[in-house]
Amino acid sequence: PIVSVLNGTAGLSLAYENEKGFFNEIKAENYFAVYHNATGNMLTEARNGNGNYFKLTLKTKYNVSAVFSYWNAQNFYSPLGGQLYQSQSGFDKTFWEPDRKLILTSLYFDREVLPDFFINVRFEPYYDLENHLLEYSYAAYIIYRSEFKLKKIK
């Protein structure tokens, strides 16, 4: 069957940078996301849904950062998005949770170890307000960040 699904988002981001302070950057973000199934095929329990995402990031001069966020959604579905935010389970397609309310935190350390190579270590707990469930994840990443040009403009 042919399926047409729309996912869209709009938002606002405000940042304050200060090289001399304890916090190098303070950033507040707010996004509104929508889901709409434009076909007659019912992929999910709902044809329309939406969500609000609020996020506060605090970056310190010691390469340690904290992110605090809140996700509030009703009947939200995104086939290519993060499974945690969706109303439909990523493991059991018959399980549908119409309301998702999550408080998320991320604490991470990010440092350049070689030119353009960074190590990122993070701890990310979240609390599901609807199910009264606290879970967490932790990870370590090796990241390559470099800027390069595909073509020189004369």
Side-chain angles (χ1 to χ4, degrees), residues 106-123:
S106 178
L107 303 171
Y108 62 92
F109 174 77
D110 192 48
R111 182 167 206 160
E112 188 171 21
V113 290
L114 294 170
D116 299 332
F117 284 91
F118 294 79
I119 187 157
N120 180 293
V121 179
R122 57 181 67 188
F123 174 67

Side-chain angles (χ1 to χ4, degrees), residues 6 11 15 56 92 95 98 101 152:
L6 167 75
L56 176 67
D92 178 3
F95 181 76
K101 293 182 176 87
K152 187 174 183 177

Side-chain angles (χ1 to χ4, degrees), residues 41-54:
N41 302 330
M42 289 301 291
L43 294 172
T44 64
E45 297 276 329
R47 193 173 296 281
N48 297 298
N50 62 69
N52 287 296
Y53 185 62
F54 305 96

